[in-house]
Amino acid sequence: MVAKIKKAVIPVAGLGTRMLPATKAIPKELLPVYDRPIIEHVVKEAIAGGVTEIILVTRSGKEAIENHFDAHYELEHRLERKGKETILGSVKNIIPDNVKVTSVRQADALGLGHAVLCAKHLLHDEPFAVLLPDVLVLDQESRDKNYSFAQLVKAWDETGTGQIMVECVEPDAVENYGIADLNGESADPFKSLPIKGLVEKPSPKDAPSNLAVLGRYVLPSRVLELLESTTAGVGGEIQLTDALDELLKLEGLNALETDAEVHDCGNKQGFLGANLAVGMRDAETKIAIKKLFKSNAW
C-alpha cells in the first residue's frame, strides 16, 4: 500500500532579490496576491491535497511568515467588538485545526536541495510534497480550487512513483525552464507519464518537449538519501534536480501536466499578472479592472 502524502516542505528562506525594493523589509512570501499573501495561497493548496503538516524552511528575519499563521488575539478581539465578522473570518483560523505548521531554519541559502534536506528530520522516511512559494497555480474556475495539486497527489496514490507537475510553455521560452523529456510521448492534462530525463534550460532547437517543471513535487523518501550524497554544483548549491536525476535512474519519475494558469510571483511582471488574474475572479473587482483599462489613463 502506498503511503499517503501528509507533509509538505515549503522553502521560504530566499532573499527575494527579484522583487526589491519591496522585499527589503517584507518577506516576498507575504506580498499580497489580491486579498491574501502568496504563502497563504500555497499553504491552502497543499492542505487541499490532504497535507496535514506544513514544514516551512525559513531563516532569520522571516518570523512574520510564521506569525501570519498564528492567532492574533488583539486584532481578532477588536474586529469582534466592532462586529466586522467577514474580516474576522478572513484572519481567524486561516488553517484547519488538524493542520500543523512547523518551521526549521536554513542557515545559508545553498539551493533547493539543501532546503529540503533541512527538513529531513521532520519527514521521518515518509513521502512528501515540495511546493515553491513563488508559484501560483490558478486552476480553471469550473474546477475545484487547487485541483491540480490534488491530482498530483492522486497520481502518487495510484502509482507510488514520484510526480513532478509540468506546464506547457511556448517553444521559444523553454530556455528559461527545466524541461521534462517524455520520450516523444504526447501529454494530456492530468495524465501521469514516465519521464525519460530532465533537461535544464535547453535551447529551443534542443528541447525534448515544451513541458516545463513548475515547482510542485510529490516525492518518495529515498530522494532524501540521494540529496545527502549530492555534491554542490554551480554557486555551491545543492540542487534538487540532481537528486531527481538519480531517482529517475533508480525508481523512475513521472510528469503530470496541468492546464491551470501558472504565475511566477517571484518577479514583478508575474506578480502583477497573478494579482490581475485573481482579481478578475471577484465579480466587483472584475468590473473595476475593466473600467480601469477602458479609462483614458491607459
Side-chain angles (χ1 to χ4, degrees), residues 24-279:
K24 181 181 178 182
I26 301 169
K28 63 178 179 177
E29 295 83 6
L30 290 181
L31 294 177
V33 172
Y34 190 50
D35 62 347
R36 64 198 66 235
I38 177 63
I39 187 66
E40 185 177 329
H41 288 281
V42 175
V43 165
K44 289 189 171 182
E45 180 186 357
I47 293 169
V51 168
T52 55
E53 183 173 353
I54 305 295
I55 303 171
L56 302 172
V57 182
T58 185
R59 66 170 177 83
S60 174
K62 289 207 163 185
E63 295 81 4
I65 297 174
E66 299 161 69
N67 292 343
H68 178 72
F69 295 102
D70 203 351
H72 191 317
Y73 297 111
E74 181 184 357
L75 174 63
E76 292 169 13
H77 177 64
R78 287 177 179 271
L79 291 172
E80 190 171 10
R81 276 178 52 198
K82 293 181 179 181
K84 297 186 176 182
E85 297 298 329
T86 301
I87 300 175
L88 176 62
S90 69
V91 299
K92 189 176 181 180
N93 302 324
I94 292 173
I95 57 174
D97 290 339
N98 68 316
V99 176
K100 177 167 61 173
V101 177
T102 308
S103 63
V104 60
R105 291 292 183 97
Q106 183 181 20
D108 200 357
L110 296 177
L112 177 56
H114 180 262
V116 172
L117 265 182
C118 288
K120 182 178 184 292
H121 65 291
L122 298 174
L123 295 170
H124 304 300
D125 297 323
E126 300 172 42
F128 61 97
V130 178
L131 297 91
L132 301 191
D134 289 348
V135 179
L136 178 69
V137 179
L138 196 58
D139 278 291
Q140 295 180 18
E141 290 184 85
S142 59
R143 297 199 176 106
D144 290 337
K145 260 189 170 183
N146 307 312
Y147 179 85
S148 292
F149 182 71
Q151 291 302 301
L152 194 72
V153 173
K154 181 182 176 184
W156 162 265
D157 291 340
E158 292 174 347
T159 65
T161 299
Q163 305 287 328
I164 299 176
M165 195 183 295
V166 296
E167 63 169 322
C168 187
V169 298
E170 293 298 323
D172 60 356
V174 293
E175 60 190 359
N176 300 315
Y177 300 92
I179 299 295
D181 182 354
L182 302 187
N183 202 26
E185 194 165 350
S186 79
D188 295 317
F190 309 111
K191 181 180 178 182
S192 180
L193 293 173
I195 296 173
K196 179 185 176 184
L198 295 168
V199 184
E200 189 64 28
K201 298 182 178 179
S203 66
K205 66 182 179 64
D206 295 326
S209 77
N210 64 334
L211 294 173
V213 176
L214 64 85
R216 298 291 185 271
Y217 311 83
V218 172
L219 301 170
S221 61
R222 189 170 188 182
V223 78
L224 297 168
E225 300 172 23
L226 299 174
L227 280 170
E228 287 186 315
S229 59
T230 298
T231 55
V234 177
E237 295 188 346
I238 297 173
Q239 300 297 343
L240 179 61
T241 303
D242 292 339
L244 295 182
D245 283 335
E246 288 302 310
L247 182 67
L248 186 58
K249 298 171 190 173
L250 296 170
E251 295 186 5
L253 200 55
N254 284 14
L256 183 134
E257 182 187 352
T258 179
D259 62 3
E261 287 182 48
V262 180
H263 299 273
D264 179 3
C265 297
N267 69 69
K268 294 162 190 174
Q269 291 79 17
F271 177 70
L272 178 59
N275 272 278
L276 287 171
V278 177

